[in-house]
Amino acid sequence: MAYVELHARSSFSLLRGGSDPESLGRAAAQVGLPAFALCDRGGVYGSVRLHMTAREAGFRALVGCELPM
């Protein structure tokens, strides 16, 4: 059974994540993850960048969003 990160945050989650979606995707591909989920806070702003990186690197990109109430 392979590990899949389901709650990573990018720099689009202000004050909660520091890396851009492209570098997160490249790191996920480098360690051999079959899929990687980007779950930013308040929006899905980095999803397109992650999907483009995933297409080039050959892993599945998953997108989520944490909505503050």
Side-chain angles (χ1 to χ4, degrees), residues 25-30 33 50-60:
R26 286 191 299 269
Q30 186 177 16
L33 295 181
L50 180 66
H51 276 282
M52 299 300 288
T53 304
R55 184 181 298 165
E56 292 172 4
F59 67 91
R60 184 174 178 199

Side-chain angles (χ1 to χ4, degrees), residues 32-45:
L33 295 181
F36 183 79
L38 184 63
C39 187
D40 281 327
R41 183 174 171 91
V44 292
Y45 310 113

Side-chain angles (χ1 to χ4, degrees), residues 8-49:
R9 292 185 176 157
S10 71
S11 57
F12 288 105
S13 292
L14 297 177
L15 301 176
R16 297 182 189 270
S19 301
D20 59 299
E22 294 90 347
S23 64
L24 288 172
R26 286 191 299 269
Q30 186 177 16
V31 297
L33 295 181
F36 183 79
L38 184 63
C39 187
D40 281 327
R41 183 174 171 91
V44 292
Y45 310 113
S47 63
V48 174
R49 293 180 179 191

